[in-house]
């Protein structure tokens, strides 16, 4: 993302200077998106919480979907995560990927950035587009390209479908006993599915 | 659900009589939930669209989550659907279940009642609870109990996770090529997963 130009001054602003305002906006957006959801959070409300004019948010970020992408920190670095996913070899990528996502959710639960983004995506097409781009551009290349399968985009999509569905069932719908099972139990069930999607034979 | 008592008369009402008003409310709710989402649709807006006072909605339905449950018609009858799922025997339930959900979505797409309910569930815990109850009480018994597996609730939950994730990836995130593939291609990939979750050996 381009550096913000310093051509405007916030009308009100507890932190002076463009970078202070930018940080304040990101922090306010992060808090409000997590608490009230993406749809229910207006640019104006973010501006008020950050002590800046809403116009400055547009100036810095362009759109609410871009602000969402900048504000929500993905809970793991995709390149570092890929090291862990591949640490036990190609035949264990399903289990290691399941472990990565289940343990990330176990730490952060329902308030995980992943859930905030999924919630936003289900209600707003612009947020869905943003999340799709993030998955295709930043998650899939380090995590899935090394496997060099046929139909790499399809396999990444199928794995994503299983992961998203697990998150919805365990943390949003809270289906029992899935919601209360240990990480290891969940990983044992889901790992073979991810393994097949990523490295199995096409049907 | 109990029959509405006829102790109140709508203040305004293009259709007189309790059953006419009740139908008008359900129709308005169905339209507004599908168009604007559950969160963004107020009881007042539903009342206005139905030509009745919002208090009458509370009188008939108790809460917005109950209204959601009554308004959104599940796109297939669970008992009839179970007949189709079991028509080719136990070893084909995964494929038949995949066919049921993919073909339902293919007909209705993004505007399917299932998507409306999932959207509502991701943003409102009361809607998630309602959907969970519906799945556990009305979908799972006819669809999954006949298989008589160990851990029937877990298996139903795992199958639901895969189905929900497929719907999110194909119709909400629109991950390509998953979003553009034919029903048969998607079914071929997902059927073995559902089969394993429903009838496979526990890990």
């Amino acid at each position: 993302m381009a550096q913000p130009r310093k051509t405007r001054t916030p009308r009100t602003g507890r932190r002076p200077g463009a970078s202070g305002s930018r940080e304040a906006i990101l922090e306010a957006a992060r808090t409000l998106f997590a608490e009230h959801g993406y749809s229910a959070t207006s640019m104006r409300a973010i501006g008020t919480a950050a002590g800046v004019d809403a116009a400055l948010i547009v100036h810095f970020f362009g759109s609410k979907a871009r602000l969402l992408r900048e504000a929500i920190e993905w809970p793991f670095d995709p390149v570092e995560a890929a090291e862990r996913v591949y640490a036990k070899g190609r035949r264990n990528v399903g289990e290691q990927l399941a472990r990565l996502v289940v343990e990330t959710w176990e730490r952060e639960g329902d308030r995980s950035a992943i859930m905030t983004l999924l919630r936003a995506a289900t209600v707003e097409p612009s947020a869905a587009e943003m999340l799709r781009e993030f998955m295709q551009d930043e998650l899939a290349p380090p995590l899935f390209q090394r496997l060099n399968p046929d139909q790499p985009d399809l396999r990444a999509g199928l794995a994503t479908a299983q992961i998203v569905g697990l998150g919805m069932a365990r943390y949003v719908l809270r289906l029992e006993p899935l919601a209360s099972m240990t990480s290891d139990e969940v990983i044992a069930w889901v790992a073979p599915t991810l393994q097949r999607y990523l490295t199995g034979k096409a049907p």
Side-chain angles (χ1 to χ4, degrees), chain A:
Chain A
M1 161 137 193
Q3 282 298 311
R5 282 171 295 144
K6 297 186 181 180
T7 51
R8 282 199 198 188
T9 309
R11 268 200 229 152
T12 59
R14 14 176 230 236
R15 308 186 196 190
S19 79
S21 297
R22 197 170 182 281
E23 275 313 302
I25 292 165
L26 288 170
E27 197 181 310
R30 208 170 286 138
T31 304
L32 292 172
F33 287 155
E35 280 177 9
H36 306 298
Y38 177 76
S39 276
T41 301
S42 66
M43 299 280 248
R44 182 180 295 270
I46 295 166
T48 302
V52 304
D53 194 275
L56 190 71
I57 306 179
V58 178
H59 172 69
F60 280 159
F61 299 98
S63 69
K64 201 164 88 166
R66 289 299 310 178
L67 175 58
L68 180 71
R69 175 154 180 175
E70 299 278 325
I72 304 299
E73 290 168 37
W74 197 256
F76 52 80
D77 176 78
V79 176
E80 280 172 30
E83 292 307 312
R84 289 165 53 197
V85 167
Y86 289 92
K88 296 189 173 180
R90 181 185 179 89
R91 284 189 308 175
N92 291 293
V93 292
E95 184 189 330
Q96 293 294 103
L97 181 61
R99 187 166 299 283
L100 169 71
V101 295
V102 170
E103 290 182 352
T104 298
W105 267 319
E106 230 36 45
R107 270 199 318 276
E108 310 193 349
D110 183 49
R111 291 184 64 87
S112 164
I114 305 177
M115 299 317 299
T116 302
L117 291 168
L118 280 178
R119 284 197 170 84
T122 59
V123 287
E124 297 257 352
S126 64
E129 191 185 336
M130 184 280 294
L131 185 53
R132 177 174 64 243
E133 281 174 9
F134 174 77
M135 286 172 163
Q136 288 175 345
D137 300 346
E138 296 180 43
L139 281 182
L143 278 168
F144 303 127
Q145 268 176 11
R146 202 186 303 188
L147 292 167
N148 198 26
D150 58 322
Q151 308 183 78
D153 294 341
L154 171 59
R155 289 165 181 278
L158 288 163
T160 303
Q162 173 62 87
I163 290 167
V164 165
L166 177 65
M168 294 282 292
R170 187 161 150 99
Y171 301 101
V172 175
L173 297 174
R174 298 182 195 276
L175 300 177
E176 290 295 353
L178 198 53
S180 306
M181 280 164 62
T182 66
S183 300
D184 283 344
E185 287 170 322
V186 174
I187 291 164
W189 272 102
V190 170
T193 299
L194 294 176
Q195 186 70 40
R196 181 171 70 84
Y197 288 158
L198 293 174
T199 68
K201 202 165 161 291

